[in-house]
Amino acid sequence: MITLKSEHDLEKMRVANRIVRDVLLLVADNVKVGVSTYHLDKLAREYIEKAGATPSFLNYHGYPASICTSIDDVVVHGIPSKKVYLEEGNIIGIDVGAYIHGFHGDGARTFIVGKTTPEKEKLVQVTKECFFMGIDGLKNGSRLGDIGGRVQAHAESHGYSVVRDLVGHGIGREMHEDPSVPNYGKIGRGIRLHSGMTIAIEPMINMGGYAVTTDQKDGWTVRTRDGSPSAHYENTVLITDEGVEILTL
């Protein structure tokens, strides 16, 4: 069931999403060669809790950390570890969720560790562009397929593929609400979007094919099947009469 948020609800969601934004900025300052993904997780959890919030991901269906740290061919859900250190040339997707006053915020960025290849730099940039292409012209009355159609077209115009097995989602009192928000599809198709809807739009773009596989040992880590690099960019947005409000910016 899709829920529309009242202005009172949105005031609370803005708080949660500002915390997510600030955690992503904090992590960005600490993504450096030799830093462990555990250290990034610790910084994020401390900041979220100091702000009076709870990490949305911690213990969510058993997930063991506060953020996701997804390096190179890991698409999403990489688990922070004291044994994993950032290396020159890595790209790392950081996904953050925060829960406060009964509502969740959610956002992700892909960062470059030190200097990397032009190919990886372009992937990260185009993935970010995919998000903004996806919200271009989006407003009350738009179709859900407008998002995925634009994301897919932009990614594929650069020779990349769009992950099919994982999608964006509605968000609010629950971390994952209706509707599912694919990053592929056809413009003009799908349900209509209405003012007051809050959705997490999160392009996951692969340099190679779109097929992915989930690690059978930890049950979480999702990698590209062909080992190609992947990038992730996400914001929580509010649909309005005039357009969108990006809550995590």
Side-chain angles (χ1 to χ4, degrees):
M1 182 178 68
I2 295 172
T3 61
L4 303 182
K5 278 61 175 189
S6 68
E7 187 54 41
H8 182 64
D9 295 337
L10 292 169
E11 288 175 5
K12 296 177 179 180
M13 286 199 70
R14 290 186 182 100
V15 173
N17 282 285
R18 281 197 295 268
I19 293 170
V20 169
R21 174 201 65 191
D22 291 345
V23 171
L24 288 167
L25 292 171
L26 172 66
V27 169
D29 289 339
N30 287 275
V31 169
K32 299 174 183 178
V33 175
V35 170
S36 72
T37 54
Y38 171 83
H39 178 68
L40 298 178
D41 183 73
K42 183 172 181 288
L43 287 175
R45 180 173 181 175
E46 288 174 351
Y47 188 96
I48 291 169
E49 292 178 344
K50 187 175 181 181
T54 301
S56 297
F57 301 165
L58 185 61
N59 298 319
Y60 183 74
H61 295 299
Y63 185 75
S66 298
I67 63 174
C68 300
T69 53
S70 305
I71 298 174
D72 288 347
D73 67 328
V74 178
V75 180
V76 287
H77 305 162
I79 300 173
S81 171
K82 292 180 179 179
K83 298 179 180 179
V84 177
Y85 294 88
L86 301 183
E87 298 179 0
E88 185 85 17
N90 285 154
I91 58 173
I92 179 170
I94 304 290
D95 198 349
V96 177
Y99 178 76
I100 189 171
H101 303 321
F103 288 89
H104 293 272
D106 191 10
R109 306 284 184 267
T110 298
F111 302 110
I112 295 169
V113 183
K115 294 183 179 180
T116 194
T117 64
E119 291 80 11
K120 283 185 179 179
E121 285 185 355
K122 181 182 176 183
L123 175 66
V124 171
Q125 178 60 33
V126 170
T127 301
K128 180 178 179 180
E129 291 170 4
C130 281
F131 168 83
F132 287 98
M133 292 295 291
I135 65 169
D136 184 42
L138 206 63
K139 62 181 179 180
N140 182 52
S142 295
R143 295 282 190 178
L144 185 65
D146 296 350
I147 301 169
R150 293 191 176 102
V151 169
Q152 183 178 6
H154 190 63
E156 292 180 352
S157 73
H158 289 275
Y160 301 141
S161 63
V162 176
V163 173
R164 302 294 204 274
D165 292 7
L166 301 150
V167 298
H169 51 92
I171 183 172
R173 291 188 181 277
E174 302 295 333
M175 185 68 207
H176 294 96
E177 298 182 348
D178 291 331
S180 294
V181 184
N183 295 302
Y184 56 92
K186 294 185 178 180
I187 294 172
R189 301 285 183 88
I191 64 168
R192 289 200 182 277
L193 305 177
H194 297 286
S195 295
M197 288 178 64
T198 47
I199 54 178
I201 301 172
E202 49 179 319
M204 290 160 271
I205 309 300
N206 297 346
M207 193 180 292
Y210 63 74
V212 299
T213 182
T214 301
D215 190 302
Q216 295 302 304
K217 292 182 180 179
D218 65 36
W220 284 101
T221 306
V222 178
R223 293 184 174 87
T224 58
R225 189 170 294 175
D226 59 13
S228 63
S230 183
H232 183 203
Y233 187 91
E234 175 186 23
N235 286 302
T236 296
V237 307
L238 163 68
I239 306 298
T240 73
D241 290 345
E242 296 79 27
V244 299
E245 178 184 343
I246 305 175
L247 302 181
T248 32
L249 289 178

